[in-house]
Amino acid sequence: MPIEAYGLLGDTRTAALVGPDGSVDWLCIPRFDGQPVFGRLVGGPDAGWFRLSPAHPTAVSARRYRPDSATLETTWKTDAGRLTLTEGMVAELGGQLLPPTMLVRRLTAEDGPVQAVIGFNPRLGERHQPPRAQHSDAALVCTWSALAIALSTTPAATIDPGVPHTVTVTPGRPFTTVMTIADREPLVHVDPDAAWDALLDDERQWRAWCRGIDPRLPRRDAVVRSLLTLRLLTYSPSGAPVAAPTTSLPEILGGVRNWDYRYAWPRDASIGIGAFLGVGKQDEARAFMAWLLSATRLDRPRLPVLLTLHGKHPAAERTLADWPGYADTAPVRVGNAAADQHQLDGYGWILDAAWLLTRTGHHLYSETWRTMAGFADTVARRWREPDAGIWEIRADTAHHVHSKMMAWLALDRALRIAAHHRTAASRSRWWNAERAKLREEINRRGFNSARGTYTRSYGSDDTDAALLIVPQLNFDPPDSPRIRGTIDAITRDLDAGTPLLYRYLPGNDGLLGAEGAFLPCSFWLVQALARTGRPAEAHAMFNELITLASPLGLYAEEMDPRTHQHLGNYPQALTHAALVHAALALRDVGDA
């Protein structure tokens, strides 16, 4: 089924994707980057699934998230009556004797008894390993060495892995399931009704979390859904945000751009932190900084491109044998080779996030400032080197103009923070001198006077949609001819059909084939238009982009310009963060 048909269930430790047919087709345990136990999304039927649905094929009549929550409702209208599946995962477990992961699913009927089917077929990991299964009075228990899951139901039902089981759901008597997970710890059995109560309590806490989000934000419901998604994709034990909960969803059907995004990119995370800070969610920003200090301790003053949820380097990238891929688009990969690249732009995003914290009144701890200053030192030493750029090109490195501008931003923000922290005068003078040299070189080598635009790399004629963030940097005045010329060149050269943009000219990245339009770039264009005095265009484009969300308000990384089907890993944190930033820019400029 289409990528955008899936809904996200999450508990800030892992996440599940569930289709409108009631099938959980993706869930890694015990964390986002763990092994899939339900992997049908990219591994085919042999990779496992968990389905609750009408016994006979029936079209969905309604599907939604409950307002300001992570609880999903799917309703089918059958000949016998209406059947509703309400499901979610419990995020807040503080002070409760509950297992770390609980997937709660409840079927209710209206207008008459409805037959439903439950299919529970867990298969672990690369080889789709079936479990050792046994029944107890409380649950079906499935084990793989030190990993175990339990499935309990109310009313009690005898479920065997891989064998469909039919139940009759009558009005006033719901059918409830709870799946719990244990990893090298005792397996806790939870009564399904108690699990349902925990889910309802969790839902109340999500509503409280959403209550303080600025009501003046344009399309506030979409912004709240994006913020909830960003929070669900943040690994709460460490504060690390994952780029997406999936691996290898293709950037074009039949292509080879299938990557593993179940890791934390400090750059993408910093953009998300800016989104949280923009709506007053400061705890998330502080948690990320704490994770960053711990995660980078062995690499400083180098900033790793990406890290695991616990701050380690990911395993080497490899391809899973005999995994067919989504819509038969292989390869399916685990690991990510981009971890070994040199990407200069990440330093700018990190130091900008640190400056945003400082500007909102949070004095950086001494270790935090030492870390940030070390990153600035690295930029001052290495900005003359070519890099792989924000798009992680798997070809020769280049002098990417966006990377150079973000290096300039890193030094600029370090100097701003230094005004609030004790810093050696000689260090500040060095940063200031290198910042000035960077500006001079960018103006001389990164701007094409004949075309009136900043370019993708030194000496090239190509544009780069990443340069849409330049109006936010104060590198040039927002109304300068250079900024306006760059925006116009990008919208002209990289147009994928309004409101969509390619991030660079298709196929110009060293890999065979093309890819879809890159959704974050469209939201960056909204920001750029708002920032440069074109609010009417910005509002119109933002509203059009909102209509391109999935039926549940989620976004992938890319989109097919022709069909508007979502492409790439899903849901994508960077897209949702860019949506929030666009809404903040529109709020600041007021009505069109």
Side-chain angles (χ1 to χ4, degrees), residues 1 25 32 53 136-137 342 383 394 431 440 474 495 591:
M1 63 183 70
D25 287 346
F32 293 107
S53 65
S136 70
D137 292 339
H342 168 50
W383 67 262
R394 300 200 176 192
W431 292 344
E440 187 277 330
N474 294 318
D495 176 40
D591 295 335

Side-chain angles (χ1 to χ4, degrees), residues 39-223:
R40 181 164 69 172
L41 182 66
V42 293
D46 291 342
W49 73 91
F50 177 16
R51 183 178 178 186
L52 283 174
S53 65
H56 306 289
T58 307
V60 170
S61 61
R63 199 164 188 236
R64 63 158 192 162
Y65 283 106
R66 290 186 177 182
D68 292 353
S69 83
T71 306
L72 182 62
E73 284 185 346
T74 304
T75 299
W76 299 273
K77 189 174 182 180
T78 74
D79 293 339
R82 283 186 296 169
L83 185 70
T84 296
L85 171 62
T86 305
E87 55 191 332
M89 300 175 75
V90 181
E92 296 298 331
L93 296 169
Q96 303 180 65
L97 296 176
L98 293 172
T101 295
M102 292 197 303
L103 171 59
V104 186
R105 316 185 78 191
R106 170 171 278 192
L107 288 170
T108 54
E110 295 180 72
D111 304 326
V114 180
Q115 277 200 322
V117 66
I118 175 171
F120 185 72
N121 188 30
R123 297 294 185 95
L124 184 68
E126 181 175 354
R127 295 184 173 86
H128 314 321
Q129 184 179 353
R132 179 176 178 270
Q134 62 184 62
H135 294 89
S136 70
D137 292 339
L140 164 67
V141 178
C142 298
T143 58
W144 303 264
S145 185
L147 188 67
I149 59 178
L151 180 71
S152 303
T153 71
T154 298
T158 301
I159 310 297
D160 293 308
V163 180
H165 180 86
T166 301
V167 297
T168 299
V169 185
T170 58
R173 297 192 63 193
F175 179 77
T176 307
T177 72
V178 57
M179 189 187 86
T180 60
I181 298 171
D183 178 35
R184 291 169 293 182
E185 61 189 1
L187 181 62
V188 179
H189 295 297
V190 180
D191 176 76
D193 290 331
W196 176 254
D197 290 339
L199 182 65
L200 294 180
D201 184 60
D202 191 62
E203 185 176 324
R204 286 188 286 269
Q205 294 190 56
W206 279 123
R207 288 193 178 125
W209 187 85
C210 294
R211 199 168 295 132
I213 297 172
D214 191 345
R216 298 171 300 155
L217 286 163
R219 307 300 293 259
R220 183 182 180 276
D221 287 349
V223 177

Side-chain angles (χ1 to χ4, degrees), residues 260 263-266 304-308 312-314 336-340 392:
D260 190 350
Y263 302 107
W265 271 256
V305 173
L306 62 111
L307 292 158
T308 69
K312 298 181 180 179
H313 290 265
N336 197 303
D340 298 323
E392 303 180 346

Side-chain angles (χ1 to χ4, degrees), residues 223 244 246 263 336 350 356 444 481-482 500 522 565 574:
V223 177
T246 55
Y263 302 107
N336 197 303
I350 289 290
L356 288 174
R444 177 169 49 87
R482 288 190 170 210
L500 301 176
S522 292
Q565 285 193 327
L574 181 59

Side-chain angles (χ1 to χ4, degrees), residues 106 236 241 314 352 364 391 406 415 443 468-469 491 495 550 560:
R106 170 171 278 192
S236 57
D352 188 53
L364 301 182
W391 306 131
M406 295 306 295
L415 286 163
N443 286 333
L468 289 168
I469 57 91
T491 55
D495 176 40
S550 81
D560 186 316

